[in-house]
Amino acid sequence: MNDMRDLYEELILDHNRNPRNYPKKPTDCNCTAHGHNPLCGDEFIVNLTVEDGVIKDIGFEGAGCAISTASASLMTEAIIGMRVEEAEKLFGEVRHLLTDDDENEQQEHGDEEVLGKLSVLKGVKEYPMRVKCATLAWHTMHAALLGDKDTTTE
Amino acid sequence: MNSNPHMLEQNFRPDTEQALDLQALRADFPALHQEVRGHPLVYLDNGATSQKPRSVIDAIRHYYERDNSNVHRGVHTLSERATLAYEGVRKKVRNFFNAASIREIVFVRGTTEAINLVAQSYGRPRFSTGDEILITEMEHHSNIVPWQLLCQQTGATLKVVPFNEAGELDLDAYHELLGPRTRLVAVVHVSNSLGTVNPVAELIAAAHQLDVPVLVDGAQAVAHRKVDVQALDCDFYTCSGHKLFAPTGIGVLYAKEALLADMEPYQGGGDMISRVSFEETRYNDLPYKFEAGTPNIAGVIGLGAALDYLEPLDMTAIGAHEDELLHYATTQLQALPGIRLIGTAAAKASILSFCIEGVHPHDISTILDGEGIAIRAGHHCTMPVMTHYGLSATARASFALYNNRDDVDALVAGIDKVKEIFQS
Ligand SMILES: Cc1ncc(COP(=O)(O)O)c(C=O)c1O
């Protein structure tokens, strides 16, 4: 029970109940991608407005579990106003927080200061089957910035 | 709740639990006796795969420790032992299904391979543009995709029998769709996402009136019901060992001998031939014509041990025990606010799919796992069923002979936890 609260922290439940920037597609949106987790059917569309390398606006649509929805919602709050490179770097941090991914060895590990509120996702690490839920929106954001229309967590 | 008179009758048969000595049965399954995340395991994911009794694990170990060798290929003692054991299981399978002959029993990897075999060996050389294959809206992907591939290959068309809100096949639609162009009917015996028990005997009889053969996907039926292929008069029956207390990677295709005899081989290779030259190859007799290459010998031995395990148990008593549990669980879940049951057919077996308002099935499953309770969350490889109900996933508890009321009580308590966490 207690460890379940570590996963389903109040912040996650709150962002699941009331996702921010959702459902939203900025009128001047110029980067969008559709993300799908075939394992559980979670599906999101991430919509961004990028100008001069800066994420001016962001929103998402679709439906998923509490972990994927909260992660998407927290992501929109975190990266709005960031430069594209900063958003990508933050994705690396989040991935590292969730998986100890060696790819990101160069980066400072799970830097709570960089991650801020996103640190709340750390409980997901104990549930490897759910890591894809937490990263779905991030992969989709990444695909949108690269100009790929579709991505899956496979 | 709609009540199936048969189910109710069995529900309250007082001698069921005694007849099945549950405690003794549970003790036979080593995997059931462990802790998961600090709680005793409550295994309610039998629809995905069942646990294995000690005797099955021991039989596989014994085979590898004593008898390991190739089958049908050697005259030395080990090969003889392995071959006798392997072929002995074919007889057990024949008995289990009451097939007319061992020539009708083909060992395959599982239900998926059995259906692909029928599609490619029976359907591909026979079907062409204008022909129709009739399936239902509640099929597992493994009873959809092989037919879609076959349609692409032959120009045949797939027709789909719908089901109603309760998850019962629309029999009027079935009779309408069944027609002069129908070349094959493929239908699930027990739905893995709804629990519906389909009236397969009736469907088969109607198809046979038009000389249309019928394949029954028995993946979810065989561990819960006595299946008599001659009484059903099905043309093909498929199942997976791993849902029947046997290992993964082994399954059975039953097919009527006359059909098998006329079918093309599925794969070419060793064991399936009687004579090979570069000019001409003659195929082996049934069923070996369909078993190319070294088979899953240990898997077959494990399957034999699983059937031996079931032999002294009465399948009817097992079914009655599971129906009683399903009824108990259904009643409990229905009493909880915010729960929606998916699949409320009058005739159901061993499967309880549900949704909790405002909670995604994956979150349900993770929280239950935290209580040591294993259920399945997802689309259960039946995406059209999910689409029917406008869902992307359900949570599913599925029972086997070793489950009991304590398991159901744990599930209900677990669901309370889910709601508590999500309502905070
Ligand atoms: C109804 C049904 N059909 C077919 C299958 C496929 O079985 P397997 O994956 O063992 O081939 C399953 C199992 O998931 C099933 O439940």
Side-chain angles (χ1 to χ4, degrees):
Chain A
M1 186 65 186
N2 285 338
D3 34 324
M4 274 305 141
R5 291 280 180 195
D6 290 345
L7 179 62
Y8 293 99
E9 285 212 39
E10 193 43 50
L11 191 62
I12 289 191
L13 295 170
D14 173 43
H15 277 257
N16 176 51
R17 264 193 303 266
N18 307 301
R20 319 297 196 263
N21 300 303
Y22 174 90
K24 173 174 151 187
K25 181 172 189 176
T27 41
D28 46 0
C29 158
N30 55 8
C31 291
T32 188
H34 172 250
H36 179 215
N37 181 348
L39 193 72
C40 56
D42 287 356
E43 246 171 301
F44 289 124
I45 297 165
V46 174
N47 303 308
L48 303 113
T49 306
V50 181
E51 274 167 31
D52 304 324
V54 175
I55 297 165
K56 291 273 194 231
D57 204 354
I58 180 167
F60 75 108
E61 303 163 271
C65 64
I67 305 293
S68 61
T69 306
S71 181
S73 169
L74 287 162
M75 176 185 84
T76 62
E77 281 193 325
I79 69 173
I80 195 163
M82 272 190 177
R83 297 199 59 80
V84 167
E85 315 82 73
E86 290 172 319
E88 294 283 12
K89 182 160 183 286
L90 189 61
F91 177 22
E93 290 288 341
V94 168
R95 213 162 27 184
H96 189 67
L97 176 77
L98 296 171
T99 61
D100 272 337
D101 200 337
D102 279 339
E103 271 172 43
N104 308 306
E105 205 66 276
Q106 312 90 312
Q107 308 186 4
E108 302 108 89
H109 296 174
D111 191 331
E112 299 246 342
E113 221 154 88
V114 180
L115 286 165
K117 274 191 196 174
L118 292 165
S119 320
V120 74
L121 294 169
K122 67 180 177 303
V124 180
K125 193 171 166 179
E126 299 303 313
Y127 299 84
M129 302 298 282
R130 304 298 304 276
V131 169
K132 285 177 176 176
C133 304
T135 54
L136 176 59
W138 295 84
H139 280 291
T140 312
M141 174 270 291
H142 174 70
L145 292 176
L146 282 179
D148 292 342
K149 283 207 298 296
D150 278 297
T151 189
T152 74
T153 53
E154 288 304 278
Chain B
M1 142 130 199
N2 39 63
S3 43
N4 170 14
H6 304 295
M7 188 165 133
L8 286 178
E9 185 186 292
Q10 285 165 347
N11 278 338
F12 303 111
R13 194 196 290 163
D15 58 352
T16 310
E17 296 248 336
Q18 279 84 3
L20 262 182
D21 194 354
L22 278 176
Q23 244 14 70
L25 288 186
R26 277 175 91 87
D28 296 335
F29 293 80
L32 295 178
H33 307 284
Q34 61 178 301
E35 292 209 334
V36 167
R37 297 190 189 272
H39 298 270
L41 171 64
V42 175
Y43 189 76
L44 293 173
D45 194 19
N46 297 285
T49 199
S50 60
Q51 296 302 341
K52 321 304 173 198
R54 167 78 62 205
S55 58
V56 167
I57 300 164
D58 286 348
I60 296 166
R61 167 194 280 260
H62 180 270
Y63 165 72
Y64 278 125
E65 286 182 352
R66 305 290 301 170
D67 302 339
N68 176 53
S69 58
N70 214 323
V71 290
H72 306 136
R73 291 181 187 184
V75 290
H76 61 78
T77 302
L78 264 58
S79 175
E80 187 179 285
R81 276 196 224 139
T83 305
L84 286 176
Y86 181 86
E87 288 305 324
V89 177
R90 208 185 297 276
K91 294 200 190 97
K92 290 176 191 175
V93 174
R94 187 205 77 82
N95 292 341
F96 186 75
F97 286 111
N98 189 33
S101 151
I102 55 161
R103 288 186 297 281
E104 301 181 319
I105 306 298
V106 180
F107 290 127
V108 289
R109 272 195 298 141
T111 307
T112 302
E113 186 172 49
I115 296 171
N116 278 280
L117 190 161
V118 174
Q120 293 303 310
S121 297
Y122 179 81
R124 194 165 183 184
R126 283 176 180 73
F127 298 178
S128 60
T129 312
D131 289 344
E132 293 174 0
I133 301 162
L134 188 53
I135 63 169
T136 83
E137 194 185 359
M138 67 174 82
E139 298 309 315
H140 188 279
H141 296 163
S142 68
N143 203 22
I144 301 174
V145 184
W147 306 118
Q148 288 175 327
L149 289 169
L150 181 62
C151 286
Q152 281 164 21
Q153 291 159 343
T154 62
T157 314
L158 201 59
K159 295 280 170 179
V160 184
V161 182
F163 60 79
N164 64 19
E165 265 317 283
E168 296 159 324
L169 284 184
D170 180 342
L171 296 179
D172 292 338
Y174 173 73
H175 291 290
E176 244 162 65
L177 286 164
L178 190 64
R181 290 167 179 268
T182 313
R183 297 297 307 277
L184 183 94
V185 172
V187 58
V188 70
H189 197 166
V190 175
S191 157
N192 66 309
S193 50
L194 299 167
T196 309
V197 182
N198 285 316
V200 285
E202 187 184 331
L203 304 179
I204 292 164
H208 283 178
Q209 297 250 303
L210 301 176
D211 284 327
V212 175
V214 179
L215 176 144
V216 179
D217 169 358
Q220 295 293 342
V222 289
H224 313 287
R225 291 283 183 275
K226 171 77 194 141
V227 174
D228 179 329
V229 289
Q230 293 194 77
L232 284 178
D233 198 24
C234 55
D235 301 276
F236 302 101
Y237 197 92
T238 65
C239 73
S240 300
H242 70 93
K243 298 183 201 281
L244 186 63
F245 316 108
T248 53
I250 187 65
V252 174
L253 168 66
Y254 158 82
K256 282 184 180 163
E257 187 170 346
L259 290 168
L260 272 188
D262 240 21
M263 280 161 58
E264 297 292 313
Y266 178 50
Q267 294 176 330
D271 266 3
M272 55 76 72
I273 45 78
S274 65
R275 186 182 192 88
V276 175
S277 73
F278 290 112
E279 289 71 42
E280 187 198 23
T281 289
R282 291 177 56 150
Y283 304 132
N284 202 342
D285 295 336
L286 297 178
Y288 309 106
K289 180 170 128 187
F290 295 98
E291 293 180 8
T294 300
N296 181 357
I297 305 167
V300 168
I301 304 245
L303 175 62
L307 298 184
D308 286 344
Y309 181 80
L310 290 171
E311 163 85 49
L313 307 174
D314 173 6
M315 284 309 288
T316 313
I318 291 172
H321 163 66
E322 291 173 0
D323 287 351
E324 192 272 337
L325 269 188
L326 181 63
H327 179 75
Y328 179 65
T330 303
T331 312
Q332 301 258 26
L333 260 62
Q334 270 173 332
L336 301 173
I339 300 264
R340 176 179 174 201
L341 299 183
I342 307 297
T344 48
K348 276 190 71 174
S350 73
I351 280 163
L352 188 58
S353 271
F354 61 95
C355 294
I356 304 179
E357 208 182 302
V359 190
H360 190 283
H362 272 83
D363 297 312
I364 299 174
S365 185
T366 294
I367 295 171
L368 291 180
D369 183 59
E371 304 293 312
I373 304 164
I375 61 149
R376 170 94 183 260
H379 52 61
H380 317 293
C381 297
T382 55
M383 283 188 169
V385 172
M386 299 299 115
T387 305
H388 182 110
Y389 291 101
L391 301 167
S392 67
T394 73
R396 179 189 75 182
S398 50
F399 306 102
L401 52 85
Y402 41 65
N403 289 117
N404 58 26
R405 283 187 175 221
D406 292 344
D407 296 336
V408 175
D409 293 342
L411 174 68
V412 172
I415 290 173
D416 281 340
K417 288 250 157 88
V418 174
K419 291 165 79 175
E420 197 184 308
I421 288 177
F422 269 76
Q423 270 157 19
S424 60

